[in-house]
Amino acid sequence: MIKISPSILAADFSRLEDEIKKIEGCADYIHLDVMDGHFVPNLSFGYPVVEAVRRITNLPIDVHLMVTNPAQHVEGFSKFNPEIIIVHYEVCNNLYRILQRIRDLGSKAFVAINPHTPVFVLDDILEYLDGVLVMSVNPGFSGQKFIERSLHKVRLLSEMRNARNLEFEIMVDGGVSPSNASDLIKVGADILVMGSAVFRAGDPASVCYQVKKSQRSW
């Protein structure tokens, strides 16, 4: 069954608790984009917001570290008991070490790859991670258009997973909506991060249910 992780980056922060409560019955995770203004051009939020979300909801959280030095922050964010911590391949010189540290701290270890990063760079590390996040937009801002090439990357990852009998999950983040969710599921996606499509909809919960219903139709 496909899992949905609404990104609060697209939520109304002036009423964050209300926004989260709207999707608690249908979401599987809450996606938290931590941006440092260096690895990506935008600044988002840090420990206080993640701590607040942890108090607001019992939903599992996944923390997406879009930062230049993720190793310096993994331990700090692990204090909020995230189900998943995501680091970017592009900034990790010692990827195996940081993946092992995330697991030692009690979270699942995911690696994200930007649109320009080919899937094959993960070939030697796939056995040591719990998931791959395919960025389907350039990271940093909510509301961007989905990059169609991402479907091919998800398909390749799914084929690599099957060929090697691995169990890592495939997450997709960026421009995901009901219009492309079915295609992503068909090529092997397991978790869809949805921001604007959920929180800027008139009925956020109905969007999540629509995506999950589409999987049952084929």
Side-chain angles (χ1 to χ4, degrees), residues 44-66:
S44 60
F45 49 78
Y47 298 120
V49 171
V50 177
E51 183 179 18
V53 171
R54 183 69 293 162
R55 291 198 307 267
I56 289 169
T57 182
N58 290 322
L59 277 173
I61 60 175
D62 63 270
V63 177
H64 183 182
L65 296 179
M66 298 187 199

Side-chain angles (χ1 to χ4, degrees), residues 13-86:
F13 274 65
S14 68
R15 50 189 188 89
L16 186 56
E17 183 170 4
D18 291 340
E19 294 274 79
I20 290 174
K21 294 301 180 184
K22 287 179 182 178
I23 48 89
E24 275 193 323
C26 64
D28 300 281
Y29 301 97
I30 296 292
H31 187 78
L32 301 165
D33 288 306
V34 178
M35 303 179 188
D36 64 357
H38 188 262
F39 175 60
V40 294
N42 196 16
L43 279 168
S44 60
F45 49 78
Y47 298 120
V49 171
V50 177
E51 183 179 18
V53 171
R54 183 69 293 162
R55 291 198 307 267
I56 289 169
T57 182
N58 290 322
L59 277 173
I61 60 175
D62 63 270
V63 177
H64 183 182
L65 296 179
M66 298 187 199
V67 299
T68 301
N69 299 304
Q72 296 180 8
H73 300 286
V74 163
E75 191 152 349
F77 284 106
S78 72
K79 295 176 181 177
F80 308 117
N81 300 314
E83 178 77 8
I84 298 167
I85 295 179
I86 307 159

Side-chain angles (χ1 to χ4, degrees), residues 32-215:
L32 301 165
D33 288 306
V34 178
M35 303 179 188
D36 64 357
H38 188 262
F39 175 60
V40 294
N42 196 16
L43 279 168
S44 60
F45 49 78
Y47 298 120
V49 171
V50 177
E51 183 179 18
V53 171
R54 183 69 293 162
R55 291 198 307 267
I56 289 169
T57 182
N58 290 322
L59 277 173
I61 60 175
D62 63 270
V63 177
H64 183 182
L65 296 179
M66 298 187 199
V67 299
T68 301
N69 299 304
Q72 296 180 8
H73 300 286
V74 163
E75 191 152 349
F77 284 106
S78 72
K79 295 176 181 177
F80 308 117
N81 300 314
E83 178 77 8
I84 298 167
I85 295 179
I86 307 159
V87 297
H88 271 261
Y89 167 85
E90 294 84 5
V91 289
C92 290
N93 293 325
N94 298 291
L95 189 53
Y96 176 81
R97 183 186 301 168
I98 194 170
L99 292 174
Q100 190 58 53
R101 183 59 180 152
I102 291 169
R103 285 176 156 180
D104 289 346
L105 290 166
S107 298
K108 293 180 181 178
F110 277 44
V111 174
I113 52 174
N114 282 343
H116 67 272
T117 303
V119 167
F120 73 80
V121 300
L122 301 177
D123 189 63
D124 289 335
I125 202 77
L126 289 176
E127 282 85 357
Y128 304 103
L129 49 77
D130 297 300
V132 177
L133 169 57
V134 175
M135 289 301 303
S136 44
V137 299
N138 291 304
F141 296 94
S142 181
Q144 297 180 65
K145 184 179 179 181
F146 179 81
I147 297 173
E148 293 295 329
R149 177 70 178 176
S150 307
L151 287 165
H152 176 66
K153 295 174 78 170
V154 173
R155 182 183 291 108
L156 283 178
L157 279 168
S158 181
E159 291 171 354
M160 293 166 73
R161 176 173 60 184
N162 293 337
R164 292 157 67 170
N165 196 30
L166 300 175
E167 296 183 353
F168 64 85
E169 294 183 289
I170 301 172
M171 177 185 281
V172 185
D173 181 5
V176 179
S177 69
S179 65
N180 55 33
S182 181
D183 290 336
L184 285 165
I185 296 167
K186 287 178 181 178
V187 295
D190 304 293
I191 306 170
L192 301 180
V193 177
M194 302 174 68
S196 299
V198 170
F199 285 113
R200 297 176 188 174
D203 185 354
S206 69
V207 176
C208 298
Y209 286 125
Q210 182 182 349
V211 170
K212 293 187 175 186
K213 184 178 178 181
S214 71
Q215 183 182 25

